[in-house]
Amino acid sequence: ILSCLKSKDTDGAEIAVAKLDNSVASLKKTLSRPLWKMASHMPVANKYMKSVNKLIATVDDASDSIIKPAIIVMKDYPLTELKASDGFNITIINAYLSLLDDIEPKIDEMLATMETINLPMGMNSMISEYSEKIAGMTGSYSELKEYLPLFKAFIGSGEDKTYLLVAQNSSEIRAAGGFPGSIGTIKIRDGILSIGDFKPVREVLAAVASPDANVTSLEEKIFCSWVTSAPDASFIPAFDRVGLIWALAYEEEANEAVDGVVSLTPSIIQSVLSFSDAVTLSDGTLLSGDNATQVLQHDLYYQYMPSNSTSNEGNEIVDALFAETAKVTMANLVSNFDVNKVADYFSIFANGAKDRTIMMWMADEANEELVKNAGCSGMLNYDANEPEIGVFFSFFDPCKLGWFLGIDSTVGEPVVNEDGSRTYDVSVVFSNSISAEERRTSSYIKGNYSGSILGHIQIFAPAGGTITDYDNNAGDRFREEEYKDLQLIYKLSALIRPDDAYEVTFKITTAPGVTAVPKVITTPTLQKYRE
């Protein structure tokens, strides 16, 4: 049965189920005979007979409540029809999600029962082997089911929806990811989910943030005045704010309501390509699961913007290649979608949510709560019991030095205070790895400071905690402020020189009674792709 289900052979599965049902009926008939009834009263055989009866009942129940429903769904909603033209059929997706919701707890119950079965002559090892195979039916689902309520809300029941798909450019680092170089759409129309073309951000968003976004004077003060420009909203590290600003700016420009915003950084391209075929861009550039991030965030700039470059031609070529990359990668994902790799696709989402390379915002408040529960909201931390130190960096000087930026942190051992709070010494080191040779390039790449990175730093205390005793090795003056009930220190226009380290030290005190060591959450850098 499992072999047929795996190969989507529903006719073969039905034949195998019929054989299984006949075998179960035959076993029940045999065990009802006087000889076996008498054996069940013997002390040695009694414990085995209980296991046999339990096993048969479990198999019988599995046939009726797990396997047959699965076959019905596979026949009524064949996976061959999942892809429709250039998108995915929402009805088929929801049919399988409902099936998994229904049978997953039954499989868990079945596996728990099989663990209690005790049979002689090595048969327990056979039972264990079958348990592993059965667990494999929904193993991927079990690992990723924490994200499924959000996914189901995202796709809905087939009603029309529009989402923005924002490609943030990590070479132009911003607190919430990067400059949103190009923006596409995810649209659900007539029950089909499809991904639209990507366009330059300034063709998609209104230039100025909508008054409805209510960008405050405090946000201008601590994140810089550029946040009043809608494309520059990602200077704000809280993605729930950024997503709202971008959605309103799109609605003003396109006169179309937005149900949510999904943000991706270029490293996601490499993750997607690691589970699909490599793609070749129009200029012959090959992108794969091994090289995509370095090519997009470093190599293309140096290829098209040499040291003697003085025009915008190279910039326009690279921007066009970025938009093309997003388009062909998503098209490649759709056309080569493999249902057997669903767990791999979900793992991209799960890993991206952890390191802020994938973030979401939903317009509906209930759906936004699901985003928060799934850990991909990109919002600032407000859980005092799971303390986080937020470390965010944004380029102020226009350049493409994101490839060279590093952010490394160290949290020391705690000192327990009289009120039950804990104080930690923390060090954050910002580094710039650009070499002398790499500095021989156009100012478009290296900026206006000979390869030095000029940018804004914001460091947030954990919820309910404080940040004190801050200092830095550059002699810069940091300012202190409070933003949405969180204390922070910030420095606008800190200079990080090549092959140098800009270190900020401070003390973090968590809320009283909190024993968890604070995690450090940062703007996602590209440093792991350089190593």
Side-chain angles (χ1 to χ4, degrees):
I1 291 170
L2 291 175
S3 297
C4 289
L5 290 176
K6 187 174 182 179
S7 62
K8 305 174 188 64
D9 177 9
T10 53
D11 291 337
E14 286 184 325
I15 293 171
V17 169
K19 290 181 180 179
L20 174 66
D21 290 345
N22 288 335
S23 296
V24 169
S26 177
L27 283 167
K28 286 181 176 178
K29 184 176 180 180
T30 297
L31 293 173
S32 66
R33 292 173 181 168
L35 176 63
W36 286 101
K37 285 185 176 181
M38 182 176 65
S40 67
H41 295 292
M42 299 172 62
V44 175
N46 179 260
K47 62 178 180 179
Y48 295 131
M49 290 298 297
K50 286 182 179 179
S51 285
V52 168
N53 286 319
K54 190 185 298 184
L55 181 59
I56 292 172
T58 299
V59 173
D60 199 16
D61 184 53
S63 176
D64 290 335
S65 62
I66 299 174
I67 299 169
K68 290 175 183 176
I71 292 173
I72 290 172
V73 170
M74 292 180 72
K75 288 178 74 73
D76 291 347
Y77 303 95
L79 285 169
T80 53
E81 297 179 8
L82 173 62
K83 288 190 289 185
S85 61
D86 60 347
F88 298 97
N89 188 313
I90 296 297
T91 301
I92 290 180
I93 295 173
N94 280 326
Y96 283 90
L97 290 178
S98 296
L99 171 68
L100 287 168
D101 275 342
D102 185 42
I103 69 174
E104 195 264 344
K106 296 173 183 176
I107 288 180
D108 287 347
E109 183 180 340
M110 176 182 172
L111 294 174
T113 300
M114 291 175 74
E115 288 180 0
T116 67
I117 290 171
N118 182 25
L119 296 174
M121 296 180 291
M123 284 186 278
N124 284 341
S125 63
M126 294 172 60
I127 298 298
S128 296
E129 182 181 340
Y130 281 116
S131 293
E132 291 178 6
K133 290 183 178 181
I134 293 166
M137 289 179 65
T138 58
S140 301
Y141 171 83
S142 299
E143 294 173 9
L144 301 164
K145 62 183 177 182
E146 64 180 302
Y147 300 107
L148 288 177
L150 171 59
F151 182 64
K152 289 165 71 175
F154 186 88
I155 63 173
S157 301
E159 64 271 19
D160 288 357
K161 291 178 178 288
T162 298
Y163 298 98
L164 300 186
L165 187 57
V166 182
Q168 295 207 62
N169 189 353
S170 299
S171 69
E172 299 178 66
I173 287 245
R174 298 287 176 84
F179 181 74
S182 57
I183 296 179
T185 56
I186 300 173
K187 292 190 177 184
I188 299 174
R189 297 291 186 268
D190 300 321
I192 303 299
L193 182 151
S194 59
I195 300 174
D197 287 347
F198 285 76
K199 298 179 180 179
V201 61
R202 301 194 190 282
E203 295 180 14
V204 177
L205 301 186
V208 179
S210 167
D212 293 338
N214 190 29
V215 176
T216 66
S217 58
L218 177 62
E219 288 172 329
E220 290 187 60
K221 175 183 176 182
I222 61 179
F223 305 127
C224 94
S225 59
W226 287 9
V227 294
T228 57
S229 162
D232 293 311
S234 50
F235 275 103
I236 302 173
F239 190 74
D240 49 331
R241 287 287 290 137
V242 178
L244 171 64
I245 293 170
W246 284 344
L248 292 172
Y250 177 86
E251 291 174 355
E252 286 190 359
E253 190 72 11
N255 196 29
E256 179 183 29
V258 172
D259 295 281
V261 178
V262 181
S263 162
L264 308 174
T265 64
S267 60
I268 298 301
I269 297 293
Q270 184 162 325
S271 298
V272 171
L273 291 176
S274 67
F275 295 116
S276 62
D277 297 334
V279 298
T280 302
L281 303 182
S282 56
D283 71 335
T285 297
L286 179 69
L287 298 178
S288 71
D290 297 319
N291 74 346
T293 303
Q294 176 168 335
V295 170
L296 293 171
Q297 299 293 273
H298 178 275
D299 297 356
L300 286 180
Y301 289 118
Y302 280 85
Q303 178 179 345
Y304 288 104
M305 299 177 191
S307 58
N308 60 354
S309 175
T310 57
S311 70
N312 289 326
E313 183 180 356
N315 177 28
E316 292 173 357
I317 292 173
V318 173
D319 285 349
L321 290 173
F322 283 168
E324 181 186 352
T325 296
K327 178 180 178 180
V328 298
T329 302
M330 292 305 170
N332 186 39
L333 176 64
V334 173
S335 62
N336 295 306
F337 185 84
D338 184 351
V339 71
N340 295 315
K341 294 182 179 180
V342 167
D344 294 329
Y345 302 142
F346 262 107
S347 71
I348 295 174
F349 182 86
N351 293 332
K354 292 174 183 175
D355 63 12
R356 293 173 63 89
T357 54
I358 294 179
M359 294 181 285
M360 289 182 64
W361 169 82
M362 298 279 270
D364 180 87
E365 289 186 6
N367 291 344
E368 176 67 0
E369 192 63 30
L370 294 175
V371 173
K372 295 175 185 177
N373 293 340
C376 56
S377 69
M379 66 182 297
L380 299 172
N381 174 54
Y382 290 97
D383 186 351
N385 293 313
E386 297 291 336
E388 291 180 359
I389 304 166
V391 177
F392 304 105
F393 192 92
S394 301
F395 283 4
F396 179 66
D397 178 38
C399 63
K400 296 293 185 292
L401 294 176
W403 177 256
F404 305 104
L405 177 68
I407 304 177
D408 297 284
S409 60
T410 304
V411 179
E413 294 298 318
V415 174
V416 181
N417 304 310
E418 291 184 0
D419 64 353
S421 64
R422 298 185 176 217
T423 299
Y424 302 81
D425 285 314
V426 183
S427 166
V428 177
V429 176
F430 299 89
S431 59
N432 179 357
S433 67
I434 190 170
S435 66
E437 182 179 353
E438 287 168 317
R439 293 200 294 274
R440 299 190 188 100
T441 185
S442 68
S443 60
Y444 184 85
I445 296 175
K446 68 182 179 182
N448 297 306
Y449 297 89
S450 302
S452 292
I453 294 171
L454 184 70
H456 305 328
I457 297 172
Q458 293 94 25
I459 300 176
F460 284 79
T466 59
I467 182 169
T468 58
D469 300 299
Y470 43 89
D471 199 1
N472 66 92
N473 64 346
D476 287 343
R477 180 188 176 190
F478 274 68
R479 298 178 182 274
E480 189 174 322
E481 194 54 81
E482 185 173 289
Y483 178 71
K484 296 186 180 295
D485 299 323
L486 295 175
Q487 185 190 358
L488 77 149
I489 58 172
Y490 68 99
K491 172 69 176 77
L492 301 184
S493 301
L495 193 66
I496 304 171
R497 294 178 173 83
D499 296 319
D500 200 358
Y502 187 106
E503 183 179 15
V504 183
T505 58
F506 50 93
K507 292 183 184 294
I508 286 292
T509 301
T510 57
V514 175
T515 59
V517 177
K519 297 179 181 177
V520 179
I521 305 300
T522 71
T523 298
T525 67
L526 300 167
Q527 60 199 94
K528 73 176 182 180
Y529 296 96
R530 301 195 311 259
E531 297 169 354

